[in-house]
């Protein structure tokens, strides 16, 4: 849940802080509503960051498994794979189910978070509380619930997109 809060947290919901989706000042690149079929929107986001002098070595992308699959299947009109452009070769891609595929009206609309993640800080403080959830015992499983206080701060909003 912590990773989901970092990306799409809404401070008006109990137990969440303001995530990237709701953080004022974080620029976005609209890729339209069609399926991702080429590197264009990712290059646009990368360019947006580079135009703000973001260090190229610090840029990484966080994508859902479904988006990762779309990217892996990029093919040209000749049905041959479209490889990552040389200019993007240093781009690290992190695949996480914390990125939802339900941002739009349908169930297949996702986002790609690209930015200099060294400019985002996650603070965790206070006491940790861990409790045993005994309902899992019926299935010979152990379930633990961990509670903590956390918040996020972005020091350079323009380093994220």
């Amino acid at each position: 849940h912590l990773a989901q809060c970092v990306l799409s947290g809404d401070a008006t919901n109990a137990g969440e802080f303001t995530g990237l989706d709701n953080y004022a000042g974080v620029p976005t690149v609209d890729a339209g509503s069609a399926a991702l079929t080429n590197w264009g929107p990712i290059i646009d986001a990368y360019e947006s960051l580079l135009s703000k002098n973001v260090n190229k070595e610090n840029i990484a992308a966080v994508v859902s498994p479904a988006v990762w699959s779309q990217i892996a299947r990029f093919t040209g009109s000749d049905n041959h794979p479209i490889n990552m452009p040389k200019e993007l070769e240093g781009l690290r891609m992190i695949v996480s189910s914390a990125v939802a595929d339900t941002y739009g009206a349908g169930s297949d609309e996702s986002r790609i978070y690209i930015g200099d993640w060294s400019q985002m800080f996650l603070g965790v403080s206070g006491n940790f509380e861990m409790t045993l959830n005994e309902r899992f015992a019926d299935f010979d499983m152990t379930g633990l619930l961990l509670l903590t206080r956390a918040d996020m701060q972005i020091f350079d909003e323009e380093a994220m997109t």
Side-chain angles (χ1 to χ4, degrees):
H1 185 72
L2 188 58
Q4 288 173 333
C5 285
V6 166
L7 300 175
S8 58
D10 183 350
T12 62
N13 295 333
E16 293 187 4
F17 51 82
T18 301
L20 286 174
D21 288 346
N22 300 302
Y23 209 93
V26 174
T28 61
V29 174
D30 187 357
S33 59
L36 195 61
T37 59
N38 61 55
W39 292 98
I42 296 170
I43 292 170
D44 291 344
Y46 206 79
E47 176 189 13
S48 172
L49 294 169
L50 293 176
S51 71
K52 296 173 179 91
N53 297 316
V54 173
N55 187 342
K56 186 176 175 181
E57 286 73 34
N58 290 344
I59 298 174
V62 180
V63 301
S64 72
V67 168
W68 174 85
S69 178
Q70 285 181 16
I71 291 170
R73 296 171 199 256
F74 284 170
T75 54
S77 59
D78 58 359
N79 216 25
H80 286 93
I82 300 175
N83 296 325
M84 179 184 279
K86 258 195 272 188
E87 294 76 16
L88 293 179
E89 283 181 353
L91 178 65
R92 289 165 293 168
M93 197 165 299
I94 300 157
V95 181
S96 174
S97 60
V99 181
D101 289 319
T102 55
Y103 284 104
S107 61
D108 60 351
E109 297 167 12
S110 191
R111 295 188 175 158
I112 299 175
Y113 297 89
I114 300 177
D116 176 356
W117 296 89
S118 71
Q119 295 301 310
M120 193 221 44
F121 291 81
L122 184 64
V124 179
S125 67
N127 296 327
F128 293 96
E129 178 184 325
M130 188 178 339
T131 58
L132 176 64
N133 189 335
E134 295 181 14
R135 70 180 197 155
F136 288 96
D138 296 339
F139 304 101
D140 292 326
M141 298 168 57
T142 302
L144 299 173
L145 178 64
L146 177 66
L147 299 175
T148 188
R149 294 181 55 90
D151 200 359
M152 179 185 82
Q153 177 70 47
I154 300 174
F155 289 99
D156 182 2
E157 290 89 359
E158 291 189 348
M160 308 300 291
T161 188

